[in-house]
Every structure is written in C-alpha cells, then in structure tokens.
Amino acid sequence: MAKLILTVDGEVTGNCFIDTPRFTIGTMAGSNLQLNYPGVSRAHAIIISVGNDDILEDMNSTNGTLVNGKKITRHILQHDDVIEIANCQIRYRSHKAVSGPSLDRTMVIKGLAPEELGIQPQTESQDRAMAKKKGQSRGAVQIGMVKITNGPEAGKLIELQRVLRTFGKPGIQVAVINRRPHGYFITHVEGKKSALVNGKPIGNEPYPLAQNDVVSVAGEEMLFSLKKSFSEAGA
C-alpha cells in the first residue's frame, strides 16, 4: 500500500496511506487528504489506483498540481515523487511502483503517450504469443465491434475504431478494450473483481478477445465480433 508523507512549509505534519481506489485531495470536507491551506482548491487532485500503479490527476484546480517541480495534468506516480500543492509537499512512497508503469495502465491516461514516460510498447512477439491463444492471425486486419445485449442500451452497436475504449462504471468495475497489431485485448482497470469473458474472470493481465466472445463488465453484457478482415501486404 502506497504512503503519502505531508510536509507544510518545510515541516513534516503527518502521513497517510492510499487505501481506496479513488483518493481525493483538497479542502472539501470528506477529502481523503484534506488540506486546509491557502491556494488549495476544494477538489484539487485525485489519485486513482490501477493495479500496482497510482495515477495522479489535477482536477482543474485554480493553482495547479506539480510533480518534482513540473506542472502536470495526469501523472503515473513513481517511488519518491514529490507532489506540490500550494505550500504543501507530499512525498509518494511505494516500492511496488519502482519498476515503472505498464503500457496498458499508461493507455488509460488520455493524452499521455507511452513514449513520454519512456515506456516501450509490448513487442510484436509478445502480442503474437498472446493472440495465438485465441486464434488471431497475423495477416488479419479487422475492426472490432461490441453489441450491448442487456439493459436500457440493449441492441446498441459500438465500433472499436479508437485504440482504446473504456467500459463499465467508475468506482464499481472498469475495463478497457484496446486494439493491438495482432488483435483486440481487454484489460482490468478498476474494481475488486475483473470483468468476465464467457463467464470467466480475465484476471489482471491483458486478455485476447475472439469472435463471439461474451464480455460482462459492471453488470452490462456485450457480444464482441470482428468485421472487415483483409490480409496485410506481404503477410
């Protein structure tokens, strides 16, 4: 469990643990870390836990949020990072984060490319090995689709043209489906339990999807399918 050490005007005033998937920081009563100091907004920042990674996001605060002296919008926290909010310094301590964030967690942060964090994408051989388990072909270029099969949006079709698409309900259960060179993969993002594919938990690692897989996320069910297949040149 990650720990935050609070220093105000150079004096250590306390510490706390990030013990919830959505850890709020601000002056508002009920904030997980309440900072009643000038320059701090009511809802100043939030830390979202995704697996072993903790993602810090500024909540459009008046005076901004800095990490190691640089203003950020979203940032995957690393061991010994220093968060600066007004005259408060918050040191982040987590040895689980020392090896760096994963590609799939990075993709959750919109607008922040993996290359900006020095993360190398999963190799072609790794993608191919994972996809082979579900029979996805190297020569197949296909567009993924999901069809909602229950609830108020039953029958709705969603075309997976974007690299990343989020499904579920924040605070309950969230998963993302992302497109890779060798097919579509679903990854657990938030919630005590992972999403289901054909009634079985996907776990914490990227799980390859195949034609007619049934995906269940936060009580919503959808049918995954592929269309518009053709072969790559030279495949």
Side-chain angles (χ1 to χ4, degrees), residues 9-73:
D9 293 327
E11 181 179 347
V12 176
T13 61
N15 61 76
C16 62
F17 291 95
I18 300 176
D19 56 1
T20 176
R22 297 175 66 85
F23 187 94
T24 55
I25 303 173
T27 63
M28 189 184 302
S31 297
N32 296 107
L33 179 56
Q34 190 173 11
L35 301 176
N36 291 317
Y37 300 99
V40 181
S41 297
R42 282 172 53 80
H44 197 106
I46 188 170
I47 297 174
I48 300 173
S49 296
V50 182
N52 288 336
D53 299 321
D54 291 313
I55 302 168
L56 173 68
E57 180 173 357
D58 182 81
M59 302 297 287
N60 295 316
S61 64
T62 301
N63 296 306
T65 302
L66 283 68
V67 175
N68 303 327
K70 296 181 179 180
K71 192 171 184 178
I72 62 95
T73 301

Side-chain angles (χ1 to χ4, degrees), residues 18-215:
I18 300 176
D19 56 1
T20 176
R22 297 175 66 85
F23 187 94
T24 55
I25 303 173
T27 63
M28 189 184 302
S31 297
N32 296 107
L33 179 56
Q34 190 173 11
L35 301 176
N36 291 317
Y37 300 99
V40 181
S41 297
R42 282 172 53 80
H44 197 106
I46 188 170
I47 297 174
I48 300 173
S49 296
V50 182
N52 288 336
D53 299 321
D54 291 313
I55 302 168
L56 173 68
E57 180 173 357
D58 182 81
M59 302 297 287
N60 295 316
S61 64
T62 301
N63 296 306
T65 302
L66 283 68
V67 175
N68 303 327
K70 296 181 179 180
K71 192 171 184 178
I72 62 95
T73 301
R74 299 178 184 89
H75 175 82
I76 298 181
L77 291 166
Q78 297 296 283
H79 180 65
D80 260 348
D81 273 352
V82 176
I83 304 165
E84 296 178 58
I85 296 176
N87 63 331
C88 306
Q89 290 190 326
I90 306 164
R91 185 173 294 277
Y92 172 83
R93 304 299 302 272
S94 175
H95 291 285
K96 288 185 177 181
V98 74
S99 60
S102 67
L103 173 63
D104 292 287
R105 305 301 185 233
T106 304
M107 292 179 70
V108 175
I109 308 180
K110 297 178 181 178
L112 187 59
E115 293 79 8
E116 295 181 55
L117 296 172
I119 303 170
Q120 295 300 316
Q122 188 163 353
T123 66
E124 183 176 311
S125 59
Q126 289 173 318
D127 265 344
R128 185 162 53 247
M130 286 292 291
K132 188 176 181 181
K133 294 180 181 179
K134 300 289 283 189
Q136 296 175 6
S137 169
R138 181 179 186 276
V141 177
Q142 301 172 312
I143 301 298
M145 300 275 296
V146 293
K147 181 180 181 180
I148 308 299
T149 57
N150 71 337
E153 294 191 317
K156 180 180 179 181
L157 289 171
I158 301 172
E159 192 167 288
L160 303 173
Q161 292 184 331
R162 291 183 294 174
V163 173
L164 184 75
R165 182 66 157 78
T166 303
F167 294 93
K169 298 177 182 178
I172 299 176
Q173 188 180 56
V174 177
V176 295
I177 295 178
N178 68 285
R179 185 177 66 227
R180 294 183 175 184
H182 300 282
Y184 286 83
F185 290 71
I186 183 170
T187 305
H188 175 69
V189 172
E190 182 180 348
K192 292 182 179 180
K193 296 182 179 180
S194 64
L196 306 178
V197 173
N198 301 326
K200 297 181 180 180
I202 62 173
N204 293 318
E205 297 301 319
Y207 186 93
L209 291 170
Q211 183 78 4
N212 296 326
D213 273 348
V214 176
V215 179

